[in-house]
Amino acid sequence: MFNVETIRKDFPILHRQVNGKPLVYFDNAATSQTPQQVMDAIVEYYSNYNANIHRGVHSLSQEATDKYEQARLTIQKHFNAKASHEIIMTSGTTHGINLVASGFTTLLKKGDEVIVSALEHHSNIVPWQMLCERTGAILRVLPMNDEGELVMAAYADLLSEKTKLVFVNHISNALGTINPIKQIIEQAHAVGAAVLVDGAQACPHLKPDVQALDVDFYVTSAHKMCGPTGVGMLYGKEDWLNKLPAYQGGGEMIAEVTFEKTTYADLPHKFEAGTPNICGGIAFGAAIDYMNHIGFENIATYEHELLEYATAQLLEIEGLKIYGTAKEKTSVISFNLKGIHPYDVGTLLDKMGVAVRTGHHCAQPIMDYYKIPGTVRASFAFYNTKQEIDTLVSGVKKAKMMLS
Amino acid sequence: MTIKAIQEDLIDEFSMFEDWEERYQYMIDLGKTLPLIEDAYKTQDNVIKGCQSKVWVHAEMDDDKVVFTADSDAIITKGIIAILIRVFSNQHPKDIIAADTDFIDEIGLKEHLSPTRANGLVSMIKQLKMYAIAYQTQLN
Ligand SMILES: Cc1ncc(COP(=O)(O)O)c(C=O)c1O
């Protein structure tokens, strides 16, 4: 049974105060909070089996290696990858994207085309621009409409045999739009292009099945889904990971080194140079276990309820406009009050204990589309409540009164 | 009035506020009254990109004093600018160069001058001082 009050007991931070008021944490799209179970995994690691992995004969190292590899299996199972070596441990979404973008340097040539969606986070734009600069490939943009949905009719026109890569987020961080990635992948494959999906915003809300999606690359960060910062994963189809050259050189990623020649280790180690974030990887596994224990169906149902409740309440405020009104969206509400700068609203809400994000949310092209400097973004997680939404709504009303 | 005296006035005024709401309402109202920078000066050259809120600053000499006008697209930022202008504008360059901003702490607005706040105010103060240094060189 899903009981939010019981769940909240798992999150110590939700019981603290900010500026003398009980914290209302609505910046979940930036980073999620950490349950005790994940913190316990971190403490247990450092208390019991902290050691470097894959290289010691001693018991501690063996235990740490086993736990770390067990986390990889947890991730593999969660995303339904065919093999555990298709899961590359990374420092996060940004790292995964850069790894793939760097690898494609040798696979693209001048005149090839790559498609980026208009809804991307800067992390899923800049590495590809750099790739295009290196290779002479052309960057094309899949446009969005006023609702914040991708214009799929334009997609077919952009695709051609020149298209080599498409990158799109599963869910937009600025607007909450859930993109039709299955269709995007199918159409890309029809012209022989590979697809990278940025799942940073999707993984806290749903359970992607990489085989069912038939996606080529899927990247995410642990810190958006109850895990620690600085760790994440890149899923890649085995064929693609074999085709891509190694990214960084170092220990762990080699089979044999002489000064004449180095041969690289097999997957996944080929892409995992240096001592990884061992504790973080193990905690990532614990976070996935925790979220599955809550249950993604429960999470989706409850968060949808929060979204509908908050949307209805906020829309009652005169002059409030919500950006991103896609039919398919997650519990993210980006909004502005007429004539009022989002920064002012965010500053006053903070004084009332309500944490929201303001600004362009690392998605400047979306703000340019709407011709606004930014928005106030409230993003809800399964541990938030309707009472907290009431606090947000009355806070916005108060901010409006003070500012107009 | 000297910079120090203005700062002391401000500390006095702010000490009358009972809670954050009164303090912020005052700043917001100040923000509304700030003489706007002339549109001609709202240029790319005069903008300080604070990431979230934009700040424009213009400086000119009036006799041996520097006069600042400024603006922001966010009203709380503008309110703080109004306070900074009241302190720094119409002062002799050497006094502007020597002045500190510790009073901001005392009037409870320290968080707005944090270098990580991304509202452009820290850069704005640097800019005011740079203008003062430039004018001081001219006077010498
Ligand atoms: C859609 C999207 N992509 C990428 C990122 C970057 O994630 P990270 O900073 O963990 O690499 C984020 C996080 O803000 C995001 O929301």
Side-chain angles (χ1 to χ4, degrees):
Chain A
M1 256 301 283
F2 183 90
N3 181 328
V4 70
E5 287 313 321
T6 315
I7 289 170
R8 287 176 71 82
K9 293 200 181 101
D10 294 336
F11 293 83
I13 205 169
L14 297 179
H15 306 288
R16 70 161 278 187
Q17 299 214 324
V18 165
N19 290 320
K21 309 281 184 341
L23 167 67
V24 171
Y25 186 75
F26 284 160
D27 195 17
N28 294 288
T31 201
S32 55
Q33 294 304 343
T34 315
Q36 191 61 51
Q37 288 84 337
V38 172
M39 292 184 229
D40 289 347
I42 293 169
V43 171
E44 190 190 306
Y45 170 77
Y46 282 111
S47 312
N48 289 322
Y49 49 88
N50 175 26
N52 211 328
I53 56 171
H54 298 136
R55 48 183 92 172
V57 291
H58 61 82
S59 304
L60 225 52
S61 169
Q62 194 53 53
E63 272 181 51
T65 306
D66 288 347
K67 294 275 190 193
Y68 189 71
E69 288 307 321
Q70 216 174 318
R72 195 193 304 272
L73 293 175
T74 302
I75 297 167
Q76 177 208 346
K77 186 158 162 270
H78 181 75
F79 290 95
N80 194 32
K82 206 180 284 173
S84 66
H85 58 255
E86 292 178 318
I87 303 294
I88 312 298
M89 303 297 270
T90 63
S91 69
T93 305
T94 305
H95 177 195
I97 293 170
N98 277 285
L99 190 159
V100 176
S102 155
F104 266 89
T105 308
T106 53
L107 302 179
L108 291 188
K109 57 182 190 313
K110 199 164 181 310
D112 283 345
E113 295 185 357
V114 297
I115 298 177
V116 61
S117 103
L119 288 175
E120 297 312 299
H121 188 282
H122 295 163
S123 279
N124 205 21
I125 302 176
V126 184
W128 306 110
Q129 283 174 331
M130 292 162 69
L131 171 66
C132 288
E133 272 167 28
R134 287 194 300 269
T135 59
I138 298 158
L139 190 74
R140 311 200 60 181
V141 181
L142 171 56
M144 61 182 271
N145 63 21
D146 289 354
E147 282 70 44
E149 294 166 328
L150 294 175
V151 183
M152 291 305 286
Y155 184 48
D157 295 337
L158 285 175
L159 286 168
S160 73
E161 69 285 356
K162 284 192 208 146
T163 315
K164 292 296 177 285
L165 254 176
V166 176
F167 29 98
V168 60
N169 55 34
H170 197 163
I171 292 179
S172 148
N173 68 310
L175 305 177
T177 312
I178 304 175
N179 291 315
I181 57 165
K182 190 148 180 21
Q183 188 190 343
I184 289 172
I185 294 163
E186 269 171 25
Q187 286 181 248
H189 285 173
V191 298
V195 180
L196 177 139
V197 172
D198 170 352
Q201 291 297 330
C203 296
H205 306 292
L206 50 86
K207 190 169 171 165
D209 180 331
V210 292
Q211 288 191 75
L213 288 168
D214 197 26
V215 66
D216 303 288
F217 302 99
Y218 195 98
V219 288
T220 199
S221 302
H223 71 93
K224 309 263 190 200
M225 47 186 306
C226 296
T229 54
V231 63
M233 72 103 200
L234 156 68
Y235 159 80
K237 279 184 186 162
E238 182 168 353
D239 282 356
W240 273 118
L241 292 179
N242 281 327
K243 250 182 254 174
L244 293 189
Y247 180 46
Q248 290 174 320
E252 288 276 344
M253 53 80 72
I254 46 88
E256 229 177 325
V257 179
T258 64
F259 281 108
E260 287 69 41
K261 185 171 169 51
T262 291
T263 50
Y264 300 125
D266 290 335
L267 291 174
H269 306 293
K270 169 181 158 190
F271 292 110
E272 295 182 351
T275 301
N277 184 348
I278 304 169
C279 176
I282 292 168
F284 186 10
I288 287 178
D289 284 342
Y290 178 81
M291 293 205 67
N292 280 307
H293 162 72
I294 303 288
F296 278 89
E297 280 185 19
N298 292 331
I299 289 172
T301 310
Y302 180 70
E303 287 179 345
H304 190 70
E305 231 177 88
L306 291 182
L307 175 67
E308 299 227 303
Y309 182 75
T311 305
Q313 301 270 316
L314 285 170
L315 283 177
E316 279 184 18
I317 300 173
E318 210 193 301
L320 186 143
K321 181 174 160 68
I322 292 179
Y323 297 90
T325 47
K327 280 183 276 309
E328 300 288 330
K329 70 176 274 191
T330 44
S331 47
V332 170
I333 302 182
S334 241
F335 67 91
N336 273 330
L337 291 168
K338 193 160 189 244
I340 296 176
H341 199 285
Y343 178 80
D344 290 324
V345 181
T347 301
L348 294 181
L349 285 174
D350 177 57
K351 285 280 155 198
M352 301 180 239
V354 181
V356 292
R357 174 98 186 256
T358 64
H360 54 55
H361 318 296
C362 301
Q364 228 153 4
I366 299 180
M367 304 302 134
D368 291 346
Y369 177 91
Y370 289 117
K371 301 196 171 55
I372 49 176
T375 67
V376 181
R377 183 188 67 186
S379 50
F380 315 121
F382 59 91
Y383 44 70
N384 289 128
T385 66
K386 286 189 182 166
Q387 292 93 296
E388 289 181 308
I389 290 171
D390 293 340
T391 308
L392 167 73
V393 172
S394 62
V396 173
K397 285 182 184 160
K398 185 176 200 150
K400 185 186 160 196
M401 214 173 61
M402 290 178 74
L403 290 162
S404 42
Chain B
M1 274 218 284
T2 65
I3 289 184
K4 200 79 207 156
I6 299 171
Q7 293 185 345
E8 273 158 18
D9 274 4
L10 276 162
I11 293 169
D12 265 3
E13 284 167 33
F14 270 78
S15 70
M16 293 182 310
F17 300 132
E18 306 240 310
D19 55 16
W20 74 268
E21 275 182 67
E22 288 183 6
R23 235 176 24 238
Y24 274 73
Q25 194 63 63
Y26 177 75
M27 278 198 299
I28 290 165
D29 294 341
L30 265 183
K32 289 178 188 158
T33 58
L34 177 72
L36 299 182
I37 198 166
E38 279 179 49
D39 269 348
Y41 297 132
K42 241 175 164 175
T43 59
Q44 277 301 324
D45 276 354
N46 283 343
V47 75
I48 296 170
K49 285 227 178 84
C51 193
Q52 294 221 11
S53 53
K54 271 192 207 164
V55 173
W56 293 270
V57 182
H58 172 71
E60 54 193 34
M61 278 302 261
D62 182 15
D63 274 340
D64 60 346
K65 293 190 169 151
V66 191
V67 177
F68 294 112
T69 46
D71 200 356
S72 171
D73 55 352
I75 201 158
I76 294 174
T77 307
K78 207 159 144 184
I80 296 167
I81 291 175
I83 292 170
L84 293 171
I85 297 273
R86 187 167 146 199
V87 171
F88 287 106
S89 190
N90 258 311
Q91 299 289 344
H92 196 279
K94 71 174 187 332
D95 297 330
I96 298 171
I97 296 166
D100 64 43
T101 51
D102 296 350
F103 75 102
I104 287 286
D105 203 354
E106 284 188 57
I107 62 178
L109 298 178
K110 183 174 162 209
E111 72 229 44
H112 294 278
L113 290 199
S114 145
T116 54
R117 181 86 187 181
N119 58 9
L121 286 174
V122 171
S123 319
M124 174 182 166
I125 293 172
K126 260 193 218 138
Q127 193 65 38
L128 299 185
K129 296 232 172 196
M130 297 285 274
Y131 276 124
I133 291 168
Y135 285 127
Q136 180 62 33
T137 327
Q138 280 178 21
L139 287 177
N140 286 345

